[in-house]
């Protein structure tokens, strides 16, 4: 038996971080459609104990971690079988990536909290299926030296698309990548109109079903800026070779253009279970349980330039990416605080952009030297953002 066959036939153990969130729940849907494909070894969530316990019981997980340490004495913990080992806090979540039996860690944690888990996974020699884009936005300079083509598999639909378009190709022959954006629910609105949009309007994404934080980021186009920074690290491309294009139909998930003028595009239905499944099945492809894309019903494919004046969050993200060093960490932390403030109606939609810009203006960019430095920068940026929220 070849090494590849042995890898494919061996029952692999999955650690799923963020199992109760949107990506985590869809990951478990994929596993339900492919019973016996992977053994769930461990699950982690922030505070949804009821759902976490149900997941642990259904998938026979042996370990769970709960991020909120205040839940240590919760009566809801009685729902877990006695055979399940339960840990609490960020360190407990990170430790799941070090479990000896773990083969693949799918990191679907929200925000910068996922950075240490990604770093530890790769440091331990495990395969990282990465849905936590902030790991690379904040710590790409530390993460990428630990990774290779087969140990870091992107789960974001756009980066999964690019990854697949690059299979079998030479990196030196890539001219540029085209990162597609739906444009979100506010495409075409003026700045005056954007100032008046509500939380509910911002959460009504036209094509994708996602968690609230990423949905707001998609509405502001900050998400596309974060994805550009992620692509810069993942595919070793400078920002002049990363083009963002608004594609409202969300049918083309991204494209790679080569030196000879050829362009490879990845197309498919707008469902996150497709890139999740690819990351879990790689290097194989499993049968999809979804209805495939019917090209006879695709009436048009349109493309347009993003408007960096109307959607200033995207401009800020690209500027921070080009600045490099600690600038993306500041951008990300300030944005997380501002988005949360918007979600609880403590600031308006355009205030997200103003808060992020205000924190970036106060920051002196440094070269990235380690996790502790990035965590200190993250904490500082959050404090500054909270001050600006209070005056928004």
């Amino acid at each position: 038996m070849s090494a590849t066959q042995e890898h494919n036939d061996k029952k692999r153990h999955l650690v799923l971080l963020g199992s109760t969130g949107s990506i985590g729940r869809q990951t478990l849907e994929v596993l339900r459609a492919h019973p016996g494909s992977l053994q769930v070894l461990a699950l982690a969530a922030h505070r949804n104990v009821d759902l976490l316990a149900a997941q642990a019981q259904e998938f026979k997980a042996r370990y769970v971690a709960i991020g909120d340490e205040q839940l240590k004495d919760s009566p809801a913990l009685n729902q877990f079988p006695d055979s399940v080992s339960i840990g609490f806090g960020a360190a407990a979540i990170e430790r799941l990536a070090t479990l000896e039996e773990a083969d693949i860690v799918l990191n679907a944690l929200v925000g910068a909290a996922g950075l240490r888990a990604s770093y530890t996974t790769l440091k331990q020699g495990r395969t990282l299926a990465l849905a936590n884009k902030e790991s690379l936005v904040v710590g790409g300079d530390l993460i990428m030296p630990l990774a290779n083509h087969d140990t870091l598999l992107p789960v974001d639909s756009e980066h999964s698309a690019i990854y697949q378009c690059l299979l079998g190709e030479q990196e030196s022959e890539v001219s540029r990548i085209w990162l597609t954006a739906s444009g979100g629910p506010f495409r075409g609105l003026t700045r005056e109109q954007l100032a008046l949009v509500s939380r509910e309007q911002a959460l009504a994404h036209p094509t994708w079903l996602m968690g609230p934080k990423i949905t707001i980021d998609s509405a502001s186009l900050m998400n596309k800026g974060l994805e550009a920074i992620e692509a810069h690290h993942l595919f070793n491309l400078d920002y002049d070779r990363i083009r963002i294009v608004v594609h409202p139909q969300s049918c083309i998930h991204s494209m790679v253009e080569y030196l000879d003028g050829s362009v490879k595009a990845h197309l498919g239905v707008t469902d996150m279970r497709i890139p999740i499944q690819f990351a879990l099945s790689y290097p194989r492809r499993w049968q999809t349980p979804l209805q495939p894309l019917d090209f006879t019903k695709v009436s048009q494919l349109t493309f347009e330039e993003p408007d960096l004046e109307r959607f200033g969050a995207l401009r800020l993200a690209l500027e921070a990416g080009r600045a490099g060093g600690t600038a993306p960490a500041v951008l990300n932390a300030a944005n997380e605080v501002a988005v949360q403030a918007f979600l609880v109606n403590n600031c308006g939609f355009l205030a997200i952009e103003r808060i992020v810009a205000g924190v970036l203006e106060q920051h002196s960019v440094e070269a990235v030297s380690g996790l502790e430095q990035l965590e200190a920068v993250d904490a500082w940026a959050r404090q500054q953002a909270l001050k600006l929220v209070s005056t928004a």
Side-chain angles (χ1 to χ4, degrees):
M1 179 183 292
S2 70
T4 300
Q5 286 175 317
E6 186 176 359
H7 169 77
N8 290 338
D9 295 337
K10 167 180 170 265
K11 177 66 73 70
R12 292 182 299 155
H13 291 83
L14 171 69
V15 173
L16 176 55
L17 308 179
S19 66
T20 61
S22 176
I23 295 295
R25 295 194 306 272
Q26 291 179 84
T27 298
L28 296 177
E29 287 181 31
V30 170
L31 296 185
R32 289 188 189 100
H34 298 279
S37 57
L38 289 170
Q39 175 64 50
V40 175
L41 175 66
L43 300 168
H46 180 56
R47 60 174 299 111
N48 191 342
V49 175
D50 292 339
L51 180 55
L52 182 64
Q55 291 174 340
Q57 193 157 20
E58 177 184 357
F59 290 92
K60 297 179 173 57
R62 291 161 50 195
Y63 305 90
V64 300
I66 299 167
D68 189 343
E69 297 190 58
Q70 295 182 4
L71 295 173
K72 281 183 177 178
D73 299 320
S74 170
L77 298 177
N78 294 327
Q79 299 174 76
F80 289 97
D82 293 338
S83 58
V84 175
S85 173
I86 307 174
F88 296 88
I93 293 177
E94 183 184 350
R95 278 195 297 273
L96 296 183
T98 70
L99 291 171
E100 186 176 349
E101 307 97 309
D103 296 297
I104 179 169
V105 177
L106 197 156
N107 185 351
L109 297 171
V110 176
L115 172 58
R116 275 197 176 269
S118 292
Y119 183 86
T120 300
T121 297
L122 293 171
K123 194 79 171 174
Q124 292 287 321
R126 313 285 192 255
T127 297
L128 174 64
L130 186 60
N132 173 261
K133 64 171 56 66
E134 291 84 1
S135 292
L136 292 180
V137 171
V138 175
D141 292 337
L142 302 178
I143 294 289
M144 291 312 298
L146 302 175
N148 62 48
H149 185 270
D150 291 325
T151 60
L152 203 173
L153 300 167
V155 172
D156 268 354
S157 62
E158 295 83 358
H159 301 92
S160 177
I162 295 165
Y163 183 96
Q164 294 179 62
C165 288
L166 289 170
L167 290 173
E169 300 287 354
Q170 298 297 317
E171 183 180 298
S172 61
E173 295 175 353
V174 174
S175 174
R176 58 183 166 179
I177 61 173
W178 292 85
L179 202 58
T180 57
S182 71
F186 302 141
R187 186 174 62 90
L189 266 60
T190 65
R191 290 283 291 184
E192 291 74 18
Q193 291 170 319
L194 288 172
L196 301 175
V197 299
S198 69
R199 172 187 184 276
E200 289 69 30
Q201 289 172 312
L203 287 171
H205 197 281
T207 52
W208 290 100
L209 177 63
M210 304 174 292
K213 195 269 180 182
I214 189 173
T215 303
I216 301 302
D217 282 348
S218 295
S220 70
L221 294 195
M222 175 63 83
N223 192 52
K224 208 50 52 178
L226 299 178
E227 288 177 2
I229 298 171
E230 188 181 8
H232 161 74
H233 288 292
L234 273 173
F235 307 114
N236 193 30
L237 292 172
D238 61 52
Y239 289 93
D240 291 335
R241 296 166 66 196
I242 301 172
R243 286 289 302 275
I244 296 171
V245 60
V246 175
H247 169 52
Q249 295 81 21
S250 298
C251 176
I252 297 177
H253 301 310
S254 277
M255 300 172 280
V256 177
E257 183 177 337
Y258 294 91
L259 294 176
D260 63 357
S262 300
V263 179
K264 281 187 176 181
H266 180 283
L267 292 80
V269 295
T270 54
D271 194 303
M272 280 304 300
R273 286 172 292 181
I274 299 294
I276 291 169
Q277 180 170 296
F278 177 81
L280 296 179
S281 68
Y282 181 82
R284 291 183 172 178
R285 292 183 186 269
W286 297 337
Q287 180 71 37
T288 179
L290 306 175
Q291 193 69 26
L293 185 65
D294 185 346
F295 286 96
T296 65
K297 296 180 180 177
V298 178
S299 59
Q300 61 178 346
L301 300 175
T302 60
F303 308 91
E304 57 194 63
E305 290 275 1
D307 190 327
L308 301 186
E309 295 305 316
R310 281 190 296 126
F311 294 93
L314 174 56
R315 174 180 48 79
L316 291 172
L318 294 175
E319 289 173 355
R322 290 179 185 276
T326 52
V330 171
L331 169 95
N332 180 75
N335 180 63
E336 286 189 20
V337 170
V339 167
Q340 182 57 34
F342 174 71
L343 284 170
V344 296
N345 298 312
N346 281 347
C347 73
F349 184 72
L350 289 184
I352 297 173
E353 175 188 326
R354 291 195 296 272
I355 291 165
V356 173
V359 178
L360 282 168
E361 287 172 4
Q362 299 175 53
H363 179 63
S364 297
V365 179
E366 306 169 4
V368 174
S369 60
L371 287 174
E372 291 75 16
Q373 173 213 27
L374 288 175
E375 289 169 347
V377 167
D378 178 274
W380 172 85
R382 290 174 191 275
Q383 289 178 345
Q384 302 310 309
L386 284 169
K387 292 177 185 177
L388 294 177
V389 167
S390 67
T391 61

